[in-house]
Amino acid sequence: MPHQPPPGFDEIERQEVNRLFGHMVGARLVFVPFILVLAVGLAFTDPAPWRRALVGAVAGVVVAFFAVESVRASRLGIERLSIGLNLAVAAAGSSLLVLGTGGLDSPFVYVMPVMALVLGILLEVPLLLAVVGLQLVAVGAFAALKLAGAAYLAVPALGTGGNPLMTWFQSGTLAFLLVGGAGLGRVIRRGFDGMVRRALVAQEDALRSHGERTAELSALSAEIAHELRNPLASVKGLAGLLAPALADVKSAERLAVLRREVDRLQSILDEFLNFSRPLVPLALGSADVGALAREVAALHEGVASDRGLFLEVRGQATARCDPRKVKQVLINLVQNAIDASSPGSAVEVEVGEDGGGARVAVLDRGGGLDPGVADRVFEPGVTSKAGGSGIGLTVARALARQHGGELRLAPRPGGGLVAELALPAFPGGPEAGA
């Protein structure tokens, strides 16, 4: 049983073969016209009309074909060309060129083994056998014509018989070079394929080991974060009990700062736990996305009012989604918009239908995306907020993609930011469940 190639092998092999073929396409624009000019010159010094016609026709067809293929390659890319067709035309053209310039005595006869080597590297085995088989048939025909000699006075360039043993030796050597060239090409191809396989297997092993180590570290860090929540809750509770007993205003203020910092630490730990634990399957159902947006706005009314902001929700839409997870995404987006906005401005939430799904845009008039992190804003740990964890947007986009949707950030005309959540008509994420 042949070994199953590692993931990605076929794609890498295809890309590299196309790249090698692309170099060949470029090289033949230089060498092929030169060879054809020599062949035409040689043919036209011979009195046989059929030979002049044959070489002229071959030269015209091959040059035209290669020129058309080069133009197609520059417009469509090398991968859109047929490697088999190109090499078959090249092999047929070289064989006819040899026929028209002397057969086994042609100065171009040893172009055929070089062509066989190229065929062995670039072609798959079935097509390789077919094309090289045709080359071997051509060599046999050249030998037969040379041995016929005097009976074919119309083709003097193919010789007048000569020594039959030498003719068979000459044709046998050429056939051996053809088969050897094709075999050497296959050896080179197998060596290349082996290197790619070994590299992919090593990469796969390294990724598996890294994944196992990452899973272990994620489980450990999640356990540590979980254990930290309990003492933080105790600190917050004790601070709440101590607050009424403090008569000193300054001490009460310090205790209030302590409680706020504990809240912030708990929020960071919650985000981290959301990020580190696997995404649980979706609990799908028909949900009023507009109502979810209004619930989120109601949760943030107090914070928005304290900061002098206006919070407005417009529009209506229904989507098949997990309401709890969509609400979690919207909480993150609205909180970010509030944090970025200046007093007196408005945070707007626009809800609308989108091709059977839903679209929710959260708009603010803050400073917009920081150019320093704009390209990496969804990466874990990347944030432009003072005291931010850099995890919220990572989790939010993961939840959006779990639905088969997307989360995008874009500059808002006139200043600010647009955060858009798109939910498709039929969620299809890898973790979706009924």
Side-chain angles (χ1 to χ4, degrees):
M1 291 292 291
H3 293 293
Q4 185 72 17
F9 171 79
D10 292 336
E11 178 64 19
I12 292 176
E13 183 188 46
R14 184 186 62 79
Q15 291 176 354
E16 292 304 318
V17 168
N18 281 335
R19 185 176 290 111
L20 184 59
F21 176 62
H23 293 320
M24 191 195 76
V25 168
R28 74 188 182 188
L29 292 178
V30 177
F31 292 105
V32 170
F34 176 71
I35 294 174
L36 290 177
V37 167
L38 290 179
V40 170
L42 184 62
F44 272 78
T45 61
D46 193 285
W50 73 268
R51 195 156 39 250
R52 292 198 297 270
L54 174 64
V55 175
V58 170
V61 170
V62 170
V63 169
F65 178 78
F66 286 167
V68 169
E69 290 293 275
S70 297
V71 172
R72 290 184 65 225
S74 63
R75 291 182 178 178
L76 304 177
I78 288 293
E79 64 277 0
R80 298 295 296 274
L81 302 186
S82 170
I83 296 178
L85 175 62
N86 273 263
L87 294 180
V89 169
S94 64
S95 298
L96 291 173
L97 186 63
V98 169
L99 174 64
T101 55
L104 290 181
D105 297 318
S106 169
F108 302 107
V109 72
Y110 294 107
V111 171
M112 295 176 70
V114 175
M115 178 61 62
L117 174 64
V118 175
L119 296 174
I121 295 174
L122 295 180
L123 292 184
E124 297 300 329
V125 173
L127 186 56
L128 170 66
L129 294 176
V131 177
V132 174
L134 291 176
Q135 285 186 308
L136 292 173
V137 170
V139 171
F142 298 157
L145 286 172
K146 184 171 182 178
L147 289 172
Y152 289 88
L153 298 179
V155 288
L158 297 181
T160 57
N163 186 338
L165 183 62
M166 182 59 65
T167 298
W168 286 120
F169 177 79
Q170 190 178 9
S171 60
T173 300
L174 181 57
F176 173 78
L177 291 176
L178 285 174
V179 175
L184 178 60
R186 288 308 303 171
V187 169
I188 295 173
R189 174 67 174 269
R190 284 198 298 271
F192 167 76
D193 288 350
M195 288 189 294
V196 174
R197 286 175 185 270
R198 288 191 294 273
L200 287 174
V201 168
Q203 181 189 53
E204 191 175 1
D205 291 341
L207 288 174
R208 186 184 303 110
S209 176
H210 176 73
E212 292 171 355
R213 183 63 175 161
T214 300
E216 292 172 0
L217 291 175
S218 296
L220 178 61
S221 57
E223 182 65 23
I224 293 173
H226 181 75
E227 291 300 320
L228 286 175
R229 295 176 72 188
N230 294 329
L232 283 175
S234 299
V235 170
K236 183 178 178 181
L238 290 174
L241 292 174
L242 289 174
L246 293 176
D248 183 8
V249 175
K250 195 68 175 177
S251 297
E253 291 176 354
R254 290 170 179 166
L255 197 60
V257 171
L258 174 63
R259 295 187 67 185
R260 286 197 298 272
E261 288 302 298
V262 169
D263 287 337
R264 189 170 70 86
L265 287 173
Q266 286 182 322
S267 175
I268 292 173
L269 286 176
D270 287 340
E271 287 188 345
F272 179 80
L273 287 171
N274 284 333
F275 173 70
S276 62
R277 68 168 62 100
L279 293 176
V280 297
L282 299 174
L284 294 174
S286 180
D288 186 338
V289 180
L292 290 176
R294 288 174 175 80
E295 289 178 22
V296 172
L299 291 175
H300 290 83
E301 279 182 357
V303 177
S305 179
D306 290 343
R307 300 188 184 184
L309 301 174
F310 300 97
L311 192 54
E312 182 181 2
V313 180
R314 297 189 296 271
Q316 194 71 32
T318 301
R320 181 168 169 77
C321 63
D322 186 331
R324 182 178 59 84
K325 293 191 175 187
V326 170
K327 187 174 179 179
Q328 183 179 344
V329 175
L330 295 180
I331 287 173
N332 182 276
L333 299 183
V334 171
Q335 183 62 57
N336 286 348
I338 290 174
D339 291 342
S341 298
S342 303
S345 62
V347 173
E348 304 169 55
V349 182
E350 296 181 348
V351 183
E353 300 282 351
D354 186 16
R359 181 190 64 85
V360 184
V362 180
L363 306 92
D364 65 60
R365 288 296 183 187
L369 281 174
D370 183 344
V373 299
D375 295 335
R376 302 182 298 117
V377 70
F378 289 110
E379 295 179 12
V382 176
T383 181
S384 59
K385 293 197 300 184
S389 65
I391 296 175
L393 282 176
T394 305
V395 174
R397 186 172 68 167
L399 295 176
R401 290 182 171 180
Q402 189 185 14
H403 282 81
E406 188 55 274
L407 176 61
R408 304 180 185 87
L409 303 182
R412 184 182 182 186
L417 186 71
V418 178
E420 183 176 270
L421 168 65
L423 297 173
F426 302 102
E431 300 294 337

